[in-house]
């Protein structure tokens, strides 16, 4: 998993509340177990009409936000069914952080396991960031995971809380497999001792 330390990127404003996982990646695209390729269908029913043409007024179809790496969202982002394909689709599109007042628990935890930083801030802070995001591609937002801060294009700084273990994993690029591999030496030692003690196994 790619390490996350700092990010300076375009933020897309998505003030809609209760954006659920089916809106993020519709169930018709859940047939794959690959983490790649899902970005093309991120927010599919909002990005495209029934003929597959882009809906011009959807934020990620606007020229200023096609390269957005941050989403500033309304309350309760990632609610609905617990599909890991949702953070897979966000990551494949290029989104590295989502900022909201709240997230569904399973989605929130899945983000950390897939290299995405979900940031929870109070409504007044999200309102300021939403307004900043509306400035478009000329306004870049800065996120510093080590310092746990989000900085607007005007230099206003907001601090956020994050679990220390989740922070460690993101900053070191450790998903569940990576965490296990950190213990590879201890696992090998255990297996060698177990094999010697029970050679018939």
């Amino acid at each position: 998993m790619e390490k996350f330390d700092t990010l300076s990127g375009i933020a897309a404003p998505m003030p809609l509340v209760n954006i659920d996982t089916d809106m993020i990646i519709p169930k018709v695209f859940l047939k794959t177990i690959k983490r790649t390729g899902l970005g093309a269908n991120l927010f599919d029913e909002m990005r495209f009409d029934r003929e597959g043409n882009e809906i011009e007024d959807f934020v990620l179809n606007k020229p200023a936000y096609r390269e957005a790496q941050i989403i500033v969202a309304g309350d309760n982002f990632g609610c609905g069914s617990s599909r890991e394909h949702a953070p897979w689709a966000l990551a494949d599109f290029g989104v590295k952080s989502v900022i909201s007042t709240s997230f569904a628990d399973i989605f929130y935890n899945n983000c950390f396991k897939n290299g995405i930083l979900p940031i929870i801030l109070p409504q007044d802070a999200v309102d300021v960031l939403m307004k900043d995001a509306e400035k478009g591609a000329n306004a870049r937002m800065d996120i510093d995971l080590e310092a746990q801060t989000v900085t607007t294009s005007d230099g206003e700084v907001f601090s956020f809380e994050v679990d220390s273990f989740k922070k460690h994993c993101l900053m070191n690029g450790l998903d569940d497999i990576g965490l296990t591999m950190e213990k590879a030496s201890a696992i090998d030692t255990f297996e060698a001792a177990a094999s010697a003690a029970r050679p018939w196994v």
Side-chain angles (χ1 to χ4, degrees):
M1 190 171 76
E2 187 177 345
K3 295 180 180 180
F4 190 118
D5 44 22
T6 61
L7 171 65
S8 178
I10 298 165
M14 295 186 68
L16 185 65
V17 300
N18 300 322
I19 294 177
D20 64 29
T21 52
D22 194 55
M23 294 167 71
I24 296 170
I25 184 72
K27 59 182 177 294
V28 68
F29 302 110
L30 305 186
K31 299 172 184 177
T32 181
I33 57 171
K34 295 181 180 179
R35 299 187 184 197
T36 56
L38 290 168
N41 302 109
L42 178 69
F43 298 116
D44 192 85
E45 294 176 358
M46 292 190 283
R47 283 173 66 198
F48 306 104
D49 62 22
R50 292 185 178 181
E51 284 71 47
N53 302 308
E54 288 189 353
I55 298 172
E56 291 184 7
D57 61 355
F58 181 66
V59 62
L60 295 182
N61 288 338
K62 296 178 180 179
Y65 299 107
R66 288 183 179 272
E67 304 298 323
Q69 293 179 290
I70 303 165
I71 291 176
V72 183
D75 189 53
N76 198 28
F77 190 90
C79 57
S81 60
S82 56
R83 58 187 67 168
E84 198 168 11
H85 293 71
W88 290 357
L90 287 163
D92 191 60
F93 184 85
V95 174
K96 298 182 182 299
S97 183
V98 182
I99 302 170
S100 179
T101 53
S102 70
F103 294 89
D105 287 344
I106 294 175
F107 174 83
Y108 181 81
N109 289 316
N110 280 341
C111 280
F112 285 100
K113 294 179 180 181
N114 290 282
I116 298 171
L117 174 61
I119 296 174
I120 299 174
L121 287 170
Q123 188 64 61
D124 58 347
V126 172
D127 290 343
V128 172
L129 295 172
M130 192 76 71
K131 192 173 183 66
D132 193 52
E134 290 170 356
K135 295 177 182 177
N138 293 325
R140 300 184 75 84
M141 205 170 283
D142 295 309
I143 298 172
D144 187 327
L145 179 54
E146 175 64 32
Q148 296 178 204
T149 58
V150 180
T151 306
T152 69
S153 61
D154 296 324
E156 190 168 358
V157 181
F158 297 96
S159 296
F160 62 89
E161 297 297 321
V162 62
D163 176 81
S164 59
F165 176 70
K166 290 180 170 66
K167 177 179 178 178
H168 166 80
C169 291
L170 262 188
M171 293 195 69
N172 291 280
L174 298 172
D175 56 12
D176 288 347
I177 294 173
L179 283 168
T180 301
M181 293 309 297
E182 280 194 318
K183 308 294 184 182
S185 179
I187 293 170
D188 290 342
T189 300
F190 172 84
E191 290 291 342
S195 180
R198 297 178 294 171
W200 59 87
V201 176

